[in-house]
Amino acid sequence: MINQLVNNIKKLDAPIVVGLDPMLDYVPEYIKKSAFAEYGETLEGAAEAIWQYNKGIIDATYDLIPAVKPQIAMYEQFGVPGLVAFNKTCEYAKSKGLVIIGDIKRGDIGSTSKAYAVGHVGKVAVGSKTYSGFCEDFVTVNPYLGSDGIRPFMEVCKEEKKGMFILVKTSNPSSGEFQDQQIDGKPLYEMVAEKVAAWGDELMGDSYSYVGAVVGATYPKMGEALRKIMPKSYILVPGYGAQGGQAKDLAPFFNEDGLGAIINSSRGIICAYKQDAYSQFGEENYADASRQAVLDMKEDLKQAWVK
Amino acid sequence: MINQLVNNIKKLDAPIVVGLDPMLDYVPEYIKKSAFAEYGETLEGAAEAIWQYNKGIIDATYDLIPAVKPQIAMYEQFGVPGLVAFNKTCEYAKSKGLVIIGDIKRGDIGSTSKAYAVGHVGKVAVGSKTYSGFCEDFVTVNPYLGSDGIRPFMEVCKEEKKGMFILVKTSNPSSGEFQDQQIDGKPLYEMVAEKVAAWGDELMGDSYSYVGAVVGATYPKMGEALRKIMPKSYILVPGYGAQGGQAKDLAPFFNEDGLGAIINSSRGIICAYKQDAYSQFGEENYADASRQAVLDMKEDLKQAWVK
């Protein structure tokens, strides 16, 4: 699946992933109205609204982008109906040829981590049958529990040819509270990155590893150091756009081959129609605004990408 | 809710939480047979089997224990039907007066962390209505992303009078890879514990805080140090029994008032009928075996608890 991700990125000349993180506030009124008319102001109504909203964005952008990254929290907040919408979104995006990066940030140990892995990127056995409860191609994973939490994901990923992005240095302001602490003269996030590189060596695709990393666009200097520590790991880079990361800061995240990083934008794309720059589209054409925002992002990223 | 947890523990003289972490392998054949007869060997069939299994254990133990801790991964592996069983389990346990600790180990930032919080311990707005997608009283939270990940949970917990247990020092063998790293002469887990204590001060119940911590029974010396750093935080202690933690090692996790810790046992209780010590119960009476295992655990813990 890492090979497919790399191929998609090359083919489209776009190291871009669209974060499908729908807040109900983002969804145009006409979609909510229609969903609530059918299901009422219920969890099912909310789920239908975010699914229809996502579908519009996928339809308008799938030919431009290699991957989408649904953030499961935004679905999970609506309980079981929300997770039905998560699944529908993943399945639909997959049917359009997109790689699915489930931003689930799970992390546990042993059989519990294994359960998350089989649930999201593998298959679970029920009697003589097997099923995929969810159907992502990659998932994000939290490293705080150490190897015991990562290896079960690696086992499942190896079997299924799927992958993961391990949180190394997150994009948020307080990420330094623990991640930046100095250990024997180097920060914790570098220690995590060294582990990511070692885990990644065990699970290589053609040119990149099935084990990638998350490093925030908001920390470009750290990105530069981390790029060198994990040369074979794809870096999933959140924080571009709404969180303040700028294209000029992204160059260090890429390798000399022009590959090795995929930049996420969520609000900047899915909520483009609410920005001044795209207000001419209007609410009814929110998906067209998202398409234009992807095109603009692609152009903007060329500063970083084309060395 | 921390007050209710403390009251339940005092009333029952039992600082015990039963981990409802059902593997399909644990479920007696007759329950699986019946569930598969109704739903086939499907995700729905698996979900029905684990729900019926849980119900039996809750019915047989609810009068002895203050709380249950369903591990969401074990349900999530069966996709949406599994999460329906998670919800049914939480709702049923709550109807029996039990406090629900959702072992979800979520952790993200800002609006995403908020979404997890409203989904699991709060209420989500849909138009003019509000709903609880899931219905735990406490959740476990991963601290790797720092305050940005914790504060949204604190906001929701404050509003709802619910609580959380933050991972400090986990029970697994590799927990030391990152958690034990020395920072200015003290380990990372102590630094996390200091934060837990500070967050906890902001969100106090009557005698203990709504902000607790997870510290593994397998590390009693660390437990002793952590108890002092977080005097007002309840410590959720996994790792007793199957993972190797023994009652004699648990004393340091308790405060002088005999409170401050709640010991989890999962397999040791829910899978008691598979152990030699309880084999006389037989598969059909698995729930009675679980009841006896709770009684035995309570007796065993007195070594630690009664100082």
Side-chain angles (χ1 to χ4, degrees):
Chain A
M1 197 47 71
I2 183 67
N3 300 336
Q4 189 187 330
L5 181 64
V6 172
N7 289 340
N8 278 9
I9 290 171
K10 281 186 189 168
K11 192 177 68 191
L12 297 164
D13 197 27
I16 290 177
V17 54
V18 172
L20 295 175
D21 309 0
M23 303 280 282
L24 216 39
D25 288 352
Y26 296 175
V27 180
E29 283 305 321
Y30 78 95
I31 294 179
K32 280 191 279 201
K33 205 172 153 186
S34 159
F36 293 164
E38 192 171 1
Y39 296 96
E41 287 182 346
T42 60
L43 294 175
E44 288 76 11
E48 174 66 13
I50 61 179
W51 151 241
Q52 291 297 342
Y53 174 65
N54 285 346
K55 184 173 177 299
I57 292 166
I58 294 167
D59 284 340
T61 60
Y62 75 91
D63 59 323
L64 300 176
I65 57 174
V68 288
K69 180 176 75 64
Q71 165 53 262
I72 200 169
M74 296 306 180
Y75 305 82
E76 201 168 314
Q77 67 180 328
F78 298 111
V80 164
L83 290 159
V84 171
F86 177 82
N87 252 349
K88 280 166 90 168
T89 299
C90 292
E91 282 161 14
Y92 187 71
K94 189 168 276 193
S95 78
K96 294 288 185 182
L98 294 165
V99 171
I100 316 296
I101 301 173
D103 197 352
I104 65 172
K105 296 190 179 68
R106 301 300 193 249
D108 212 295
I109 55 168
S111 58
T112 311
S113 233
K114 181 82 180 281
Y116 281 129
V118 300
H120 286 275
V121 290
K123 295 186 194 79
V124 68
V126 181
S128 58
K129 309 246 172 66
T130 60
Y131 296 93
S132 293
F134 298 94
C135 65
E136 298 101 306
D137 299 311
F138 288 82
V139 285
T140 55
V141 178
N142 187 308
Y144 189 67
L145 294 92
S147 300
D148 297 332
I150 302 300
R151 292 215 167 270
F153 277 93
M154 290 175 66
E155 283 167 30
V156 172
C157 285
K158 187 173 184 180
E159 204 164 303
E160 303 283 339
K161 295 197 182 303
K162 295 199 168 178
M164 73 185 107
F165 293 97
I166 296 172
L167 304 186
V168 170
K169 171 69 187 169
T170 56
S171 60
N172 55 306
S174 81
S175 69
E177 278 177 17
F178 304 126
Q179 297 166 24
D180 291 6
Q181 293 300 327
Q182 294 288 315
I183 296 157
D184 292 336
K186 69 182 167 199
L188 175 63
Y189 64 78
E190 284 195 15
M191 175 169 270
V192 177
E194 286 167 5
K195 280 280 187 184
V196 168
W199 291 322
D201 281 344
E202 295 180 37
L203 212 63
M204 281 296 295
D206 290 344
S207 55
Y208 281 92
S209 173
Y210 289 93
V211 183
V214 174
V215 183
T218 39
Y219 299 105
K221 285 233 166 70
M222 299 173 183
E224 190 169 4
L226 291 168
R227 175 68 290 169
K228 292 187 184 107
I229 294 172
M230 310 174 288
K232 295 296 181 194
S233 289
Y234 241 81
I235 301 181
L236 171 64
V237 187
Y240 166 85
Q243 285 184 54
Q246 294 180 15
K248 66 177 172 51
D249 298 327
L250 294 173
F253 292 89
F254 290 90
N255 274 322
E256 289 299 316
D257 59 4
L259 295 169
I262 182 161
I263 316 299
N264 179 75
S265 180
S266 301
R267 262 174 297 171
I269 304 292
I270 69 173
C271 225
Y273 80 99
K274 290 201 173 193
Q275 299 165 34
D276 288 347
Y278 303 101
S279 60
Q280 77 274 18
F281 284 96
E283 195 176 78
E284 294 271 337
N285 303 308
Y286 76 99
D288 296 330
S290 294
R291 183 179 178 84
Q292 189 55 49
V294 168
L295 290 166
D296 292 347
M297 178 177 174
K298 191 173 160 183
E299 205 53 42
D300 188 40
L301 287 191
K302 286 205 169 142
Q303 294 177 51
W305 200 34
V306 180
K307 294 201 183 187
Chain B
M1 198 45 74
I2 184 66
N3 300 337
Q4 189 187 331
L5 181 63
V6 173
N7 289 340
N8 279 9
I9 290 172
K10 280 187 190 168
K11 191 177 68 188
L12 296 165
D13 197 28
I16 292 176
V17 54
V18 171
L20 294 175
D21 309 0
M23 304 280 281
L24 217 39
D25 289 352
Y26 296 176
V27 180
E29 283 305 321
Y30 78 94
I31 293 179
K32 282 192 277 201
K33 205 172 155 187
S34 160
F36 293 164
E38 192 172 2
Y39 295 96
E41 287 182 345
T42 60
L43 294 175
E44 288 76 11
E48 174 67 13
I50 60 178
W51 151 241
Q52 291 296 344
Y53 174 64
N54 286 345
K55 184 173 178 297
I57 292 165
I58 293 167
D59 284 340
T61 60
Y62 75 91
D63 60 323
L64 301 176
I65 56 174
V68 288
K69 180 175 76 64
Q71 165 54 261
I72 200 168
M74 295 307 178
Y75 305 82
E76 201 167 314
Q77 68 180 327
F78 298 111
V80 165
L83 289 160
V84 171
F86 177 81
N87 253 349
K88 280 166 89 167
T89 299
C90 292
E91 282 161 14
Y92 188 70
K94 190 169 275 195
S95 79
K96 293 288 186 182
L98 294 165
V99 171
I100 316 297
I101 302 172
D103 198 352
I104 66 173
K105 294 189 180 67
R106 302 300 194 247
D108 212 294
I109 55 169
S111 58
T112 312
S113 232
K114 181 83 180 279
Y116 281 130
V118 300
H120 286 276
V121 290
K123 296 185 193 78
V124 68
V126 181
S128 58
K129 307 246 173 69
T130 60
Y131 296 93
S132 294
F134 297 95
C135 66
E136 298 101 306
D137 299 310
F138 288 82
V139 285
T140 55
V141 179
N142 187 308
Y144 190 67
L145 294 93
S147 301
D148 297 333
I150 302 298
R151 292 213 167 272
F153 276 96
M154 288 174 66
E155 282 168 31
V156 173
C157 285
K158 187 174 183 179
E159 202 164 304
E160 302 284 340
K161 296 196 180 305
K162 293 196 170 182
M164 72 183 106
F165 294 96
I166 297 172
L167 304 186
V168 171
K169 171 68 187 169
T170 56
S171 60
N172 55 306
S174 80
S175 68
E177 278 176 19
F178 304 127
Q179 297 166 24
D180 292 4
Q181 293 300 328
Q182 295 287 315
I183 296 154
D184 292 337
K186 68 183 168 200
L188 175 62
Y189 63 78
E190 284 195 13
M191 174 170 270
V192 176
E194 287 165 5
K195 280 280 188 187
V196 168
W199 291 321
D201 281 344
E202 295 181 37
L203 213 61
M204 281 297 296
D206 290 344
S207 54
Y208 282 91
S209 172
Y210 288 93
V211 183
V214 174
V215 183
T218 40
Y219 299 105
K221 284 232 166 69
M222 299 172 183
E224 191 168 1
L226 292 167
R227 175 69 289 170
K228 292 188 183 105
I229 294 171
M230 309 174 288
K232 295 297 181 192
S233 289
Y234 240 82
I235 302 181
L236 171 63
V237 186
Y240 167 85
Q243 285 185 52
Q246 295 179 15
K248 67 178 170 51
D249 297 328
L250 294 172
F253 292 89
F254 290 90
N255 275 321
E256 288 298 316
D257 59 4
L259 296 168
I262 183 162
I263 315 300
N264 179 74
S265 179
S266 300
R267 260 175 299 170
I269 305 291
I270 70 174
C271 226
Y273 79 100
K274 289 200 174 192
Q275 298 165 34
D276 288 346
Y278 303 100
S279 59
Q280 77 274 17
F281 285 95
E283 196 177 77
E284 294 270 337
N285 302 308
Y286 76 98
D288 296 330
S290 293
R291 183 178 177 85
Q292 188 57 48
V294 169
L295 290 167
D296 292 347
M297 179 177 173
K298 191 173 159 181
E299 204 54 41
D300 188 40
L301 287 191
K302 287 207 168 143
Q303 295 177 50
W305 201 34
V306 180
K307 292 202 185 186

